[in-house]
Amino acid sequence: MNADTQDLRARLDLLQESLAIRQSTTHFAHTGVSTIAALLIGGASAKLFHDSLRTPHLAYGAAVLSLALLVYGLRNYWKGRAALADELKRFEALLELRSRLSLDNPAALLPR
């Protein structure tokens, strides 16, 4: 194994380690959960506003909480999109390294 191949292998190992944990998935999961919670709390807040004869103080709190959850979900959505774009670039680099090292070519792995 020459130095260039060892360097490529080291870069391949680093890329595999960095792609093992996908941050975009976590961000998108937070987006989904917070959006669903915001919709449920927002619906409860709207129901409190609709059914109340006097000013419902609890409904204001629920509306603010619902809005905060929506903002949190949107922020995580944008973070997830940025993380996904970075992960896709790193994955393309990983595929390029695999092809340069002939890891996906079964004939190259056979003994000569």
Side-chain angles (χ1 to χ4, degrees), residues 68-108:
L69 284 170
L70 278 175
V71 168
Y72 176 76
L74 243 130
R75 189 183 63 137
N76 272 307
Y77 175 74
W78 290 114
K79 284 169 100 176
R81 280 184 54 131
L84 180 62
D86 181 53
E87 289 166 358
L88 289 175
K89 286 178 188 173
R90 286 185 287 150
F91 185 69
E92 288 295 324
L94 177 94
L95 291 178
E96 174 64 30
L97 278 174
R98 288 184 64 85
S99 69
R100 286 180 64 191
L101 289 170
S102 299
L103 293 178
D104 294 329
N105 184 3

Side-chain angles (χ1 to χ4, degrees), residues 13-53:
D13 290 339
L14 286 174
L15 277 172
Q16 285 176 336
E17 285 179 30
S18 71
L19 287 171
I21 299 172
R22 304 245 343 242
Q23 291 297 321
S24 62
T25 306
T26 305
H27 291 302
F28 288 136
H30 281 241
T31 297
V33 170
S34 64
T35 303
I36 290 173
L39 290 174
L40 289 172
I41 294 170
S45 172
K47 180 73 172 153
L48 284 172
F49 276 121
H50 183 266
D51 290 346
S52 180
L53 296 175

